[in-house]
Amino acid sequence: MCGIVGYIGKKDSKRILLDGLKELEYRGYDSAGIAVLQGDNFSSFKATGKLINLEEKTKDFVTDKFSIGIGHTRWATHGKPTELNAHPHAGENSYVVHNGIIENYAELKKELLEDGVHFLSQTDTEVIVHQFEKNLKTSISAFEAFKITIEQLHGAYAILLVTKGEKETIFFAKNGSPMLMGIDSDNEKYFASSDTPLIGHCSDINYFEDGDYGYVSPDALVIFSQKNLQKEPVFTKLSTNKLSAQKDGYRFFMEKEIYEQHDVITDTLLGRLSEERVIFEEIESSLFDGINEIKLCACGTSYHSALTATYLFERYSKVKTSIEVASEFRYREPIMNKDTLFVVISQSGETADTLETLKMAKKAGLKTLVICNVDNSSMVRLADACILTRAGVEKGVASTKAFATQVTVFWMMSLYLAELKSSMAKEEIQKQIALIREIPASVRVSDAMHEHIKRLSKRYLHGHGFFFIGRDVFYPLALEGALKLKEISYLHAEGYPSGEMKHGPIALADPELFTIALLPEHKLYEKAKSNVEELSARDATICAISPLEFDKADDLIPINRCKDYMLEFFEMMVVVQILSLEISIRLGNDVDMPRNLAKSVTVE
Ligand code: AGP
């Protein structure tokens, strides 16, 4: 998830671009850059790290006459966060910025390299500007070359491109990644990934639709639809509150990030699924040579996604898999064998306990892999290999979309290993891949479901505690649901394997004990149901989450009937996330910054 901005007009474009990128830092900030064409002079600046570094580089750069400019703040998906990989990417006479993932960049890059094009970066984006300049040689106009280029791209993108031959034009295209355009009182045009950068400049904005492409100049605004039909912009009034704009109108970043899961998981999958196999370009299959066991190590929510992985790896990859709580692993003098692949999982890539276990594993000579959301973080730099989750910046302290993308990566990884180890028939792998493609639909939040949970949450604001219970992968989900509730409502909650209730916890059963029971249709339903009935018979208050009716529950939060238990997992994940959100809001808590917590625990 990155942020892009653009401007065409007589104002201080450097200031407009840099201020716009500042407003988009919540979308990603491992590197940033701008390119401005004033007259015949292109000026481009790029810097890694926070935007202040780019400000420093541009401090002597003045834009005091008509110009066209584009800018970008990056959240790495392809290629390390370096200056070379930062956008804008340059051709001979053109620059491009891009948010999204070009799925077919490798084949386009191969052809361009054969044509003798020299690439500077590892990114997919750089292909766009070189492909444009290749098409320019055989097109009657720059716009025709741009149109052909867009037709040749597969994947998700929001693109702004400028070229020296068209000194007063910005070309744009949008498909799958957000982009909008605003107009100010001088009829000057502004582009951005979201509306925050335009607040204070424009009063009217046009949200582009998927498939839109076109160009703007001082006197023109030309938009074509996916069907190549010219269309008029549809302007709406721009909100004026920047913070609510960053939250896109949601009450909290956590709420926004729950709703974003559909989009970010789509990014997580991009370029990694063919019909018959899972592809992880960023790792070599040799990483798994000689490996007979996988040991997963993490903290908190990342531990819960890792626990989910243990079921998938042993079930599909047939690889012995174990899991560790990082803070415990550090001090228990563990036995580590070199045929074990040590996998750390971390949203931030900076959690102190997890990082220390990674160092222990490397010191013991084990091969290491990190599943992480932040490229260039300490763990990414230290591990032998890395798979990025592509969740974008997660602002809410209580992790949601990071967890969802971690589990998505693990499900894919279990099939990647299944093919490598020949532990599953190709047809079975293909069936699982088809199911994985349905994850984004499974995490889409329905208004009806959200409203139902919001109303029901008023009954769960007191009591002497919560049990979240589930079996199989729904046990780690129960742990995650309990953690979400604890973190933001400050009510006591425990996650438990359903089968464990009779080994002591059921002594707590009474009407003031709330049990959130995960009852999937496709995994041990009857066994989980009888566990819940044991609690219900002792008058515990039961809230069941299930695709099936359950008459012993005091409340039922229905999910859709699914083809597979893992899709039920993702549907129930959204329910427990929304449930904790709505309880916390009713209790008046700061959902995004709960007391005593930090987004990244970089100390012991
Ligand atoms: C989860 O909601 C919490 N923010 C916390 O448990 C978190 O998952 C844990 O601190 C690990 O963080 P990491 O994924 O960045 O390593």
Side-chain angles (χ1 to χ4, degrees):
M1 176 187 285
C2 308
I4 64 176
V5 291
Y7 168 71
I8 174 168
K10 299 188 181 76
K11 299 181 180 73
D12 180 351
S13 52
K14 177 187 89 170
R15 193 71 265 144
I16 289 169
L17 295 173
L18 292 177
D19 291 349
L21 291 177
K22 187 74 189 147
E23 296 298 338
L24 294 176
E25 268 199 315
Y26 72 92
R27 296 179 63 83
Y29 47 71
D30 58 43
S31 54
I34 63 170
V36 178
L37 179 57
Q38 288 186 100
D40 285 325
N41 301 318
F42 253 131
S43 306
S44 178
F45 306 86
K46 305 201 273 192
T48 54
K50 294 279 190 186
L51 210 54
I52 188 112
N53 301 337
L54 184 62
E55 295 261 4
E56 178 58 28
K57 281 200 168 185
T58 58
K59 66 181 188 306
D60 299 328
F61 174 52
V62 177
T63 49
D64 55 3
K65 51 181 176 291
F66 176 85
S67 64
I68 57 176
I70 58 177
H72 183 276
T73 183
R74 184 166 183 252
W75 190 261
T77 57
H78 282 80
K80 293 289 176 201
T82 61
E83 252 187 62
L84 277 182
N85 286 336
H87 304 207
H89 286 290
E92 288 174 26
N93 298 299
S94 317
Y95 284 89
V96 69
V97 291
H98 161 236
N99 175 25
I101 292 177
I102 305 300
E103 285 198 76
N104 63 328
Y105 87 97
E107 53 210 75
L108 292 173
K109 182 168 183 175
K110 183 171 177 293
E111 287 173 24
L112 290 162
L113 287 168
E114 285 162 2
D115 294 347
V117 172
H118 177 58
F119 279 79
L120 290 176
S121 81
Q122 305 162 303
T123 66
D124 54 335
T125 302
E126 191 180 354
V127 160
I128 301 169
V129 69
H130 295 311
Q131 192 67 21
F132 167 74
E133 292 193 339
K134 174 179 176 180
N135 292 329
L136 202 51
K137 291 172 185 157
T138 54
S139 301
I140 55 170
S141 71
F143 180 54
E144 185 193 34
F146 181 72
K147 177 174 179 295
I148 293 167
T149 305
I150 297 306
E151 289 165 352
Q152 292 166 328
L153 302 179
H154 304 153
Y157 50 76
I159 291 169
L160 294 176
L161 184 143
V162 291
T163 187
K164 210 171 209 177
E166 298 287 339
K167 297 182 184 51
E168 298 192 343
T169 304
I170 295 180
F171 298 98
F172 63 83
K174 186 258 190 240
N175 188 48
S177 298
M179 184 162 68
L180 46 92
M181 187 206 66
I183 283 193
D184 69 8
S185 52
D186 301 322
N187 194 36
E188 295 185 334
K189 285 92 176 178
Y190 300 66
F191 291 87
S193 299
S194 67
D195 51 15
T196 327
L198 306 190
I199 293 172
H201 294 293
C202 310
S203 53
D204 299 293
I205 50 176
N206 167 77
Y207 288 88
F208 292 115
E209 296 177 324
D210 283 350
D212 283 1
Y213 66 94
Y215 62 89
V216 294
S217 65
D219 308 317
L221 163 53
V222 177
I223 307 175
F224 286 91
S225 71
Q226 199 153 30
K227 296 187 174 63
N228 298 321
L229 301 173
Q230 192 158 353
K231 57 191 279 191
E232 290 305 311
V234 177
F235 287 107
T236 54
K237 285 301 172 196
L238 179 59
S239 69
T240 54
N241 176 327
K242 288 200 175 185
L243 195 56
S244 76
Q246 274 196 3
K247 293 176 194 165
D248 280 343
Y250 292 100
R251 293 166 291 178
F252 294 99
F253 278 109
M254 180 182 174
E255 184 178 36
K256 174 173 178 265
E257 287 153 6
I258 291 168
Y259 276 75
E260 265 179 353
Q261 290 177 137
H262 167 271
D263 290 339
V264 297
I265 288 176
T266 302
D267 277 352
T268 305
L269 300 178
L270 270 178
R272 290 169 164 164
L273 293 179
S274 73
E275 291 308 310
E276 60 280 337
R277 65 168 46 91
V278 170
I279 304 147
F280 285 119
E281 281 182 341
E282 56 266 65
I283 59 174
E284 300 296 332
S285 58
S286 57
L287 177 70
F288 302 93
D289 290 353
I291 295 298
N292 297 312
E293 177 177 347
I294 291 175
K295 186 172 282 292
L296 305 160
C297 192
C299 301
T301 286
S302 296
Y303 174 84
H304 299 151
S305 70
L307 184 56
T308 306
T310 62
Y311 293 86
L312 300 174
F313 286 173
E314 296 209 335
R315 180 167 291 143
Y316 299 136
S317 320
K318 302 301 178 206
V319 177
K320 185 175 183 306
T321 305
S322 58
I323 185 164
E324 304 280 353
V325 173
S327 54
E328 286 298 304
F329 186 74
R330 283 183 72 178
Y331 300 104
R332 65 174 183 75
E333 297 163 39
I335 305 297
M336 287 189 268
N337 300 322
K338 290 189 178 166
D339 69 343
T340 298
L341 175 68
F342 197 82
V343 182
V344 290
I345 302 89
S346 176
Q347 187 285 131
S348 63
E350 301 298 346
T351 299
D353 285 323
T354 312
L355 180 58
E356 286 309 311
T357 64
L358 177 59
K359 291 174 184 172
M360 289 166 64
K362 284 188 72 76
K363 191 175 174 194
L366 277 64
K367 287 197 260 187
T368 58
L369 168 68
V370 60
I371 311 296
C372 191
N373 191 40
V374 182
D375 203 348
N376 227 30
S377 57
S378 301
M379 289 181 218
V380 168
R381 287 197 303 271
L382 190 61
D384 297 321
C386 162
I387 295 176
L388 291 177
T389 49
R390 301 177 184 167
V393 176
E394 186 173 68
K395 303 272 287 186
V397 167
S399 184
T400 50
K401 61 179 184 170
F403 173 76
T405 55
Q406 287 170 350
V407 176
T408 301
V409 166
F410 279 129
W411 191 0
M412 288 195 282
M413 198 173 148
S414 71
L415 304 176
Y416 175 90
L417 285 173
E419 184 190 15
L420 217 53
K421 306 265 179 187
S422 306
S423 59
M424 273 175 89
K426 286 192 184 318
E427 303 71 43
E428 281 309 304
I429 292 176
Q430 289 172 13
K431 278 183 195 163
Q432 288 286 317
I433 287 174
L435 291 170
I436 289 177
R437 290 185 190 281
E438 297 188 31
I439 299 175
S442 299
V443 299
R444 200 185 280 281
V445 184
S446 78
D447 291 345
M449 182 258 277
H450 194 157
E451 183 55 30
H452 175 53
I453 295 172
K454 189 172 185 177
R455 296 169 63 81
L456 173 146
S457 63
K458 58 178 169 289
R459 299 182 199 155
Y460 294 93
L461 304 180
H462 55 288
H464 61 66
F466 289 75
F467 275 126
F468 284 70
I469 63 172
R471 282 180 174 265
D472 202 89
V473 295
F474 297 89
Y475 165 46
L477 185 57
L479 292 172
E480 176 58 12
L483 178 60
K484 289 283 95 52
L485 188 65
K486 279 189 282 238
E487 278 191 286
I488 62 177
S489 73
Y490 317 144
L491 297 174
H492 182 70
E494 278 187 79
Y496 244 93
S498 303
E500 272 294 289
M501 296 315 289
K502 54 186 173 301
H503 298 286
I506 202 164
L508 288 174
D510 66 28
E512 292 305 294
L513 176 88
F514 302 139
T515 297
I516 311 296
L518 307 182
L519 292 173
E521 179 180 4
H522 299 302
K523 188 56 72 181
L524 302 170
Y525 177 74
E526 291 305 327
K527 295 226 178 282
K529 184 174 168 228
S530 62
N531 296 144
V532 179
E533 284 164 348
E534 290 159 13
L535 281 158
S536 173
R538 289 160 178 83
D539 210 17
T541 298
I542 310 285
C543 174
I545 304 175
S546 181
L548 307 175
E549 283 300 322
F550 182 55
D551 59 0
K552 297 284 191 310
D554 301 275
D555 282 306
L556 174 70
I557 302 175
I559 62 164
N560 297 310
R561 298 196 69 172
C562 301
K563 297 172 190 166
D564 184 85
Y565 72 94
M566 278 305 293
L567 295 178
E568 293 181 294
F569 178 101
F570 282 100
E571 292 229 2
M572 291 190 188
M573 174 194 74
V574 173
V575 171
V576 298
Q577 290 170 343
I578 298 271
L579 180 62
S580 59
L581 171 81
E582 291 302 335
I583 289 174
S584 174
I585 290 172
R586 281 184 181 275
L587 294 171
N589 294 349
D590 181 343
V591 170
D592 285 334
M593 298 180 76
R595 67 185 186 194
N596 310 334
L597 298 182
K599 183 58 188 169
S600 179
V601 183
T602 55
V603 294
E604 276 206 48

